[in-house]
């Protein structure tokens, strides 16, 4: 999937050691289908050469407002009119200050000033030493730049090239890529808050053993990412999985079904959408041993008794919040056969307005899936595609079904 297909991005580089990351960012944008026009300030060329950026972007780099290659000699107009966005990465403290004052003494700031402000968004990825970042002048500039319509992509925290540790590093190329992709997504869930469960649960037998299942969590993580892209505030309650947290998503790690229920009950009051993708274990050992169960050499095997786990989805779907229409609940059904019949029955049994069926064994651990949406009006198939693509379609379907008058 090329998330930036058809997008033309002016990538502006200003003076900072983070210029080395801009090379990777340029590649990442192009891999996602964007075309990239690089514009560098004189200071940026001290850190990385235009040759590198030209080779990566497959276009000559611009660096001067007197560039005679443009027939009208107005690179600032021509380049900005073609752009779907101008992304300045790295954006130095000095360049922020220049933008703030409407400075225009070199091509990049001139272009930012000359861009049609309501058609060509300006995205800034600041990069600087932690003291510079924390300085009141920088913080003041950030507030004013945002008020002037720029989108500030934030900074990373950690070890800095100067040897100090703190806030102010430029975000990593993959983080910036995710932010740019998110930026272009329609905000169909703006102002909404979504709670998502994902992954398996782990039900302890003793301190070293337990019962779990093969759910990878990929579908739930994709739903969380897609909801964030759509403008929702997302809380992801995840069972034990080895997946990176989608950018901008608040993650709560849990182990057992009981822990997952507790986290969901705690966070549901702040949410207005609940999507249960987790493969919650149906049963847990009645008594988890607090010491490792040892074999005694007699050939005797331990006998495990089980109790049923709480049904998280059904619990939230029956809450006063959901019954009053203030929490829109979406269930998933992992079936091995008769998907339509099972999904239809499960929707009613769980008491949810929308149930998403899929064939479990065909999708566990995979990057793709196919979904069957079942609601009170009938069914809709979302054909085989990547989980992220399906998650984005599902988010759009949820947004369409949300009561317009959700109280929160
Ligand atoms: N679910 C849940 N808590 C449970 C069991 C299931 O929240 N204890 C949720 C799942 O996250 C999913 C939906 O309920 O959204 C259906 O899960 P599934 O495992 O397919 O259904 P079960 O209720 O376990 O029914 P069965 O095993 O009989 O198919």
């Amino acid at each position: 999937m090329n998330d930036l297909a058809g997008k033309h991005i002016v990538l502006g580089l200003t003076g900072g050691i983070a210029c080395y990351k801009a090379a990777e960012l340029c590649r990442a944008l192009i891999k996602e289908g964007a075309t990239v026009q690089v514009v560098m300030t004189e200071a940026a060329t001290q850190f990385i050469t235009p040759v590198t950026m030209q080779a990566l972007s497959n276009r000559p780099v611009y660096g001067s407002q007197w560039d005679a290659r443009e027939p009208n000699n107005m690179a600032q107009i021509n380049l900005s009119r073609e752009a779907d966005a101008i992304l300045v990465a790295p954006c130095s403290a000095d360049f922020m200050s220049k933008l703030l004052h409407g400075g225009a003494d070199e091509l990049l700031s001139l272009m930012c000033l000359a861009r049609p402000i309501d058609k060509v968004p300006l995205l800034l990825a600041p990069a600087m030493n932690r003291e510079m970042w924390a300085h009141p002048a920088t913080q003041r500039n950030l507030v004013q730049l945002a008020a002037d319509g720029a989108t500030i992509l934030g900074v990373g925290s950690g070890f800095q090239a100067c040897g100090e540790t703190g806030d102010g590093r430029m975000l990593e190329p993959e983080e910036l890529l995710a932010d740019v992709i998110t930026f272009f997504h329609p905000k169909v869930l703006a102002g909404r808050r979504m709670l998502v469960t994902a992954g398996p649960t782990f039900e302890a037998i003793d301190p070293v053993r337990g019962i779990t299942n093969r759910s990878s969590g990929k579908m739930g993580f994709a739903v969380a990412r897609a909801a964030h892209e759509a403008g929702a505030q997302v809380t992801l309650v995840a069972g034990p999985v080895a997946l990176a947290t989608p950018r901008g998503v608040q993650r709560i790690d849990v182990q057992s079904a009981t822990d997952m229920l507790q986290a969901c009950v705690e966070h549901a009051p702040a949410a207005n959408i609940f999507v249960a993708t987790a493969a919650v274990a149906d049963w847990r050992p009645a008594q988890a041993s607090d010491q490792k169960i040892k074999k005694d050499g007699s050939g005797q095997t331990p006998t495990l008794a089980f109790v049923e786990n709480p049904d998280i989805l059904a619990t939230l779907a029956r809450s006063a919040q959901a019954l009053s229409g203030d929490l829109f609940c979406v269930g998933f059904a992992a079936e091995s056969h008769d998907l339509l019949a099972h999904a239809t029955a499960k929707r009613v049994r769980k008491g949810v307005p929308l149930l998403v069926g899929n064939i479990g064994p065909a999708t566990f651990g995979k990057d793709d899936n196919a979904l069957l949406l079942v609601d009170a009006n009938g069914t809709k198939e979302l054909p085989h595609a990547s989980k992220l693509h399906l998650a984005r379609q599902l988010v759009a379907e949820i947004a369409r079904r949300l009561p317009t008058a959700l109280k929160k």
Side-chain angles (χ1 to χ4, degrees), residues 338-402:
D338 292 340
L339 184 57
L340 176 59
H342 285 304
T344 308
K346 203 168 273 186
R347 188 185 81 82
V348 174
R349 183 153 50 83
K350 301 267 179 175
V352 293
L354 179 61
L355 194 114
V356 184
N358 62 156
I359 298 292
T363 182
F364 277 168
K366 303 251 168 66
D367 289 325
D368 43 24
N369 198 357
L371 303 179
L372 178 71
L373 273 48
V374 183
D375 70 7
N377 300 319
T379 62
K380 178 168 182 172
E381 275 183 48
L382 301 184
H384 198 262
S386 75
K387 287 183 176 174
L388 182 56
H389 187 64
L390 290 168
R392 287 172 177 158
Q393 290 175 273
L394 176 60
V395 159
E397 295 286 342
I398 292 171
R400 278 204 303 114
R401 288 168 172 81
L402 282 185

Side-chain angles (χ1 to χ4, degrees), residues 4-15:
L4 296 176
K7 298 288 184 217
H8 181 63
I9 293 171
V10 169
L11 177 60
L13 276 64
T14 69

Side-chain angles (χ1 to χ4, degrees), residues 197 257 260 274-283 309-315 330-335 342 346 349-350 355-356:
T197 64
M260 191 175 271
F274 175 55
V275 184
T277 75
V280 183
D282 288 318
W283 307 282
N309 266 329
D311 190 317
I312 302 165
L313 177 61
T315 305
V330 182
F332 266 67
E335 307 295 342
H342 285 304
K346 203 168 273 186
R349 183 153 50 83
K350 301 267 179 175
L355 194 114
V356 184

Side-chain angles (χ1 to χ4, degrees), residues 187-228:
K187 298 292 176 264
V188 293
L189 291 183
R192 308 294 201 183
R193 278 166 295 197
M194 183 188 279
L195 180 63
V196 186
T197 64
T201 62
F202 179 88
E203 312 297 334
I205 294 172
D206 67 18
V208 296
R209 305 182 183 93
I211 291 169
T212 187
N213 60 62
R214 290 174 50 217
S215 165
S216 66
K218 286 180 182 172
M219 192 66 223
F221 275 58
V223 169
R225 172 174 170 177
H228 168 70

Side-chain angles (χ1 to χ4, degrees), residues 12 16 64 103 140 144 265 313 384 405:
S64 163
R140 215 168 38 234
Q144 189 55 47
V265 166
L313 177 61
H384 198 262

Side-chain angles (χ1 to χ4, degrees), residues 141-150 152:
N141 291 352
L142 281 170
V143 173
Q144 189 55 47
L145 284 167
D148 289 349
I152 315 288

